[in-house]
Amino acid sequence: MVLGQRPVRGPSSWPPRGRAWAASQSGHSVRGEVRSERLPVNRLLAALSGVLATLAGVAAGHLAAALLDPATSPVLAVGSQVIDLTPTPVKEWAISQFGTRDKPILIGSVLVGVVLLAAVAGLLARRRFAYGAAVFVLLVAVPAVIAVTRPTAGVSAVAPSLVALVVGLAALAWLVRAAAPAAVGGRVGAPAEDRVEDRPGEAGGPSRRGLLVAMGVVAGAAAVLGGAGRWVASYRTRAVAIDLPAAAKPLPPLPEGLEERFAGITPLQVANSDFYRVDTRLDVPIVDVEEWTLTIDGDVEEEVTFTLDDILAMDLVEKDITLTCVSNSVGGEFVGGARWLGVPLNELLDRAGVGTRADQILSTDVDGMTISTPLALATDGRDALLAVGMNGEQLPREHGFPARMVIPGLYGFISATKWVTRMTLTTYDAETAYWTDRDWATEAPIKPSSRIDTPRALAPLDVGEVVVGGVAWAQQNGGVGTVQVRIDGGPWQDAELGPDVGNDYWRQWFYRWDAASGQHRIASRVVDGDGGPQSPARANPFPEGSSGIQELIVTVG
Ligand SMILES: Nc1nc2c(c(=O)[nH]1)N[C@H]1C(S)=C(S)[C@@H](COP(=O)(O)O)O[C@H]1N2
Ligand SMILES: [Mo]
C-alpha cells in the first residue's frame, strides 16, 4: 500500500527529462520554475524517505518483537492501547459498522497516522536531521511507553521499540545523505550543463538516481525484515499440541443438524475455525503450557494453584454450550454452539474453599485483562466449566488456549475468560474489571433471541415454497419452547424445531413458507419454555445486550 509508489505526473515527473529538467536546473532566468517544478519532487522524495525509513524501523521492531515477545511489537502496542482507550460508544459503533473487520481497520488507521508523521519526519530531516530524528523519537516513545506499562510487561518490552528507532534513524540518515548532493546542486545557481559535465557524480541527475537506489534498498530491507518478522511470529505462534484426555463420561455424538437438510442454516455445532471471536487483543497470546498455571485466591480457605497437568489429570466432563457476546446485535454473528471439554468450575472452587464475603469471581488472563463474574450465578448449579477442549480438539489459541472459562446463560464478557490464569474471590465493591470500568452491566444474562439464517435479507426468491430457517436460544426460563415466524406483520406461526441438545444450547428451526410474488417482510422470535415470548423492545448491545425482533425484507418473483 504505502510502498506502491505512483509515478508523479506532470511537469515534475520523475525521472525528469528534456527541456523542463534542464531549465529547472539552470537556476537563474527560470528561477520561478525551479521552485514550482523541482521542489515538489524534492519534497515528495524527502517525505517518502521518511516513510521508507519508518517502515524499515517498524519492520525491524516487528522482527525483534517476534523473536522476543510478539505482544511487544510497536504496532500492536499502539493498537491495543487505542482499543483500551476507545470510549465504549465508539467501540460499539466500530463493531456494528465493521464487525470482525474492526481490528484490521484499527491497525490500518494506526499505520496511516504513523505514515503521515513519518513523511513529516522525512521533510524535516532534509532541513535539519535533528528535527526529523526528534519526530522519530516521538513516534517510538509512544509504543515504548505503552509496551512497558502493559500489566505483564517487563523493561525488556521496550527493546523492539529501541530497535525500531535505531534502524529507522540509520535508514533516515542514509537517505538524507544520499539526497544531499542533489539538494546542494539545486541551491547552487550554476548552469546545469557545467555541473553535469564537470562533476557528474554530484550533479542532480546521477545523485538522484543514487537516492532512488538507496530508497529501493531501504524499501527492500523493510520488506525482508517485515517478512522475516511475520514468519518468525507465525512459527512461534503455531499451536503446541497437548495430550487431551477424553471425558470421563463422553457425551453421545450430536444428532444430525438441520444444516444437512436445508442449505443456509447454521450448523448445529460451529467448527472451531468458523467460531466467532471477540476479545480486546490484536494478536493472540502465546501461552507456554509448561509455565501456565491457574491460581484461585482471594476470599478462600486456602489459595490453590493448578498446572495444566493437574487439570488434565482431573475427571473431565463434556458440555454442549452456546456462547454469545453482549455486543451481538439482533440477528448478528457473535453467537455459536460448541462442545466444551473441561473441569466443573465448582470442583476447582471447592479445592480452594470459597469464603463467605465474596460476591464475584475476578478472573485474570495471561496479560492482566480482567473479567467479573457474579459468584452466585456461576455457582447456582449451572454447568460452569474451566474448558480445555472445544469440539474434540484442544482449545484453539484464538479461543483461549490452554484454558478458558465457559458459563452457560451469561454473556461472554462476564463469564468466558480466555487464557485465564487467576480467579480471585472478591467483591464488586473492592475490585472492578475491564468492562465494568467501561460501564457495561455487571449482571448480564443472555437474552433469548432468534436469528434468521436463510433466506438472506434482500434475497431474490422464486414464487412457491421457501424454507425460512435459523437458530434460536433461550438459556434461562426453560430453554427454547417454540420458534415462530411472522410474514408481513401477520399472525405468529410455529416453526419446526431441529434436535434438542439441552437448554444451554441453541436450537435450529425452519418454516416452510408459500411465497407469493412481491416484496415481503419475514420476522422470527423465540418463545421460552415457560411461555415467555422474545421481547420486542429494541435495545442496543450496550450495556446489557441487544433485544428486539429481527425482520428482513425479501423480493419474490
Ligand atoms: N482474556 C479475554 N477473555 C475474553 C475476552 C477478552 O477480551 N479477553 N472477551 C470475552 C468476550 S466479550 C466474549 S463474547 C468471549 C468470546 O469468546 P470467543 O472469542 O471464543 O468466541 O470471550 C470472552 N473472554
Ligand atoms: Mo462479548
Side-chain angles (χ1 to χ4, degrees), residues 270-292:
V270 179
N272 290 357
S273 54
D274 294 335
F275 207 89
Y276 84 93
R277 175 184 171 198
V278 172
D279 54 60
T280 59
R281 309 261 325 193
L282 286 169
D283 58 339
V284 183
I286 303 175
V287 181
D288 184 340
V289 287
E290 302 296 327
E291 308 256 298
W292 179 88

Side-chain angles (χ1 to χ4, degrees), residues 38-95:
R38 199 190 63 243
L39 282 183
V41 177
N42 266 348
R43 289 224 183 109
L44 193 78
L45 289 178
L48 207 52
S49 297
V51 171
L52 288 177
T54 302
L55 286 180
V58 169
H62 200 66
L63 174 59
L67 291 167
L68 298 166
D69 173 5
T72 59
S73 167
V75 180
L76 293 181
V78 174
S80 307
Q81 194 68 14
V82 173
I83 291 184
D84 292 356
L85 293 180
T86 306
T88 299
V90 178
K91 221 182 296 192
E92 282 310 287
W93 175 84
I95 292 176

Side-chain angles (χ1 to χ4, degrees), residues 276 278-279 324-328 334 411-414 416 435 440:
Y276 84 93
V278 172
D279 54 60
T324 318
C325 182
V326 70
S327 291
N328 197 37
F334 300 147
Y411 285 118
F413 81 113
I414 57 161
W435 277 294
W440 289 85

Side-chain angles (χ1 to χ4, degrees), residues 144-226:
V145 168
I146 294 171
V148 171
T149 50
R150 293 234 111 197
T152 54
V155 192
S156 62
V158 81
S161 299
L162 284 183
V163 170
L165 180 63
V166 169
V167 171
L169 283 181
L172 186 65
W174 190 47
L175 291 177
V176 166
R177 179 169 309 168
V184 169
R187 256 184 250 123
V188 175
E193 291 82 352
D194 292 358
R195 282 188 285 114
V196 171
E197 279 161 23
D198 296 350
R199 296 178 286 154
E202 281 177 43
S207 67
R208 284 208 179 165
R209 201 168 303 136
L211 172 59
L212 282 193
V213 169
M215 290 171 78
V217 170
V218 170
V224 169
L225 289 170

Side-chain angles (χ1 to χ4, degrees), residues 131-510:
Y131 294 166
V135 176
F136 268 30
V137 170
L138 270 182
L139 261 177
V140 163
V142 176
V145 168
I146 294 171
V148 171
T149 50
R150 293 234 111 197
T152 54
V155 192
S156 62
V158 81
S161 299
L162 284 183
V163 170
L165 180 63
V166 169
V167 171
L169 283 181
L172 186 65
W174 190 47
L175 291 177
V176 166
R177 179 169 309 168
V184 169
R187 256 184 250 123
V188 175
E193 291 82 352
D194 292 358
R195 282 188 285 114
V196 171
E197 279 161 23
D198 296 350
R199 296 178 286 154
E202 281 177 43
S207 67
R208 284 208 179 165
R209 201 168 303 136
L211 172 59
L212 282 193
V213 169
M215 290 171 78
V217 170
V218 170
V224 169
L225 289 170
R230 290 191 65 160
W231 185 83
V232 171
S234 69
Y235 176 78
R236 290 199 48 192
T237 53
R238 75 202 185 288
V240 182
I242 58 172
D243 247 332
L244 202 64
K249 287 193 210 101
L251 289 178
L254 279 182
E256 187 181 284
L258 289 185
E259 73 274 13
E260 303 289 339
R261 288 171 61 195
F262 305 111
I265 296 185
T266 302
L268 186 57
Q269 183 178 78
V270 179
N272 290 357
S273 54
D274 294 335
F275 207 89
Y276 84 93
R277 175 184 171 198
V278 172
D279 54 60
T280 59
R281 309 261 325 193
L282 286 169
D283 58 339
V284 183
I286 303 175
V287 181
D288 184 340
V289 287
E290 302 296 327
E291 308 256 298
W292 179 88
T293 53
L294 170 70
T295 298
I296 301 183
D297 62 4
D299 181 22
V300 291
E301 280 155 29
E302 185 193 14
E303 178 178 319
V304 284
T305 294
F306 303 90
T307 64
L308 189 57
D309 283 339
D310 293 338
I311 301 287
L312 297 179
M314 299 174 74
D315 273 356
L316 301 185
V317 297
E318 274 183 327
K319 301 286 173 193
D320 294 309
I321 297 170
T322 292
L323 210 67
T324 318
C325 182
V326 70
S327 291
N328 197 37
S329 42
V330 172
E333 290 167 51
F334 300 147
V335 54
R339 175 163 290 183
W340 307 94
L341 173 76
V343 180
L345 193 60
N346 273 334
E347 275 182 36
L348 298 175
L349 295 178
D350 286 349
R351 297 246 184 141
V354 175
T356 51
R357 281 167 294 125
D359 61 10
Q360 70 150 319
I361 306 172
L362 184 75
S363 49
T364 308
D365 83 358
V366 69
D367 248 356
M369 194 269 182
T370 50
I371 283 182
S372 282
T373 306
L375 177 63
L377 297 182
T379 54
D380 67 359
R382 67 183 79 201
D383 286 327
L385 290 182
L386 175 79
V388 290
M390 180 177 182
N391 292 336
E393 295 165 15
Q394 66 187 46
L395 277 181
R397 294 185 51 246
E398 293 77 11
H399 298 291
F401 179 82
R404 74 175 303 170
M405 290 165 58
V406 176
I407 304 180
L410 301 179
Y411 285 118
F413 81 113
I414 57 161
S415 70
T417 317
K418 307 193 270 190
W419 317 291
V420 63
T421 58
R422 186 174 295 273
M423 297 179 195
T424 304
L425 280 299
T426 180
T427 62
Y428 282 102
D429 280 344
E431 270 171 290
T432 55
Y434 185 92
W435 277 294
T436 325
D437 294 336
R438 286 159 181 76
D439 298 329
W440 289 85
T442 49
E443 291 217 1
I446 296 175
K447 297 181 184 174
S449 201
S450 175
R451 182 179 78 191
I452 303 169
D453 292 335
T454 185
R456 313 296 291 183
L458 304 177
L461 302 170
D462 291 336
V463 173
E465 188 189 274
V466 169
V467 171
V468 181
V471 284
W473 54 94
Q475 278 101 332
Q476 349 274 337
N477 309 324
V480 173
T482 51
V483 174
Q484 297 178 322
V485 172
R486 184 182 66 192
I487 305 291
D488 296 328
W492 288 105
Q493 321 256 4
D494 283 355
E496 291 178 59
L497 297 180
D500 184 0
V501 185
N503 291 0
D504 296 336
Y505 211 64
W506 62 11
R507 195 98 186 240
Q508 297 167 306
W509 57 267
F510 72 98

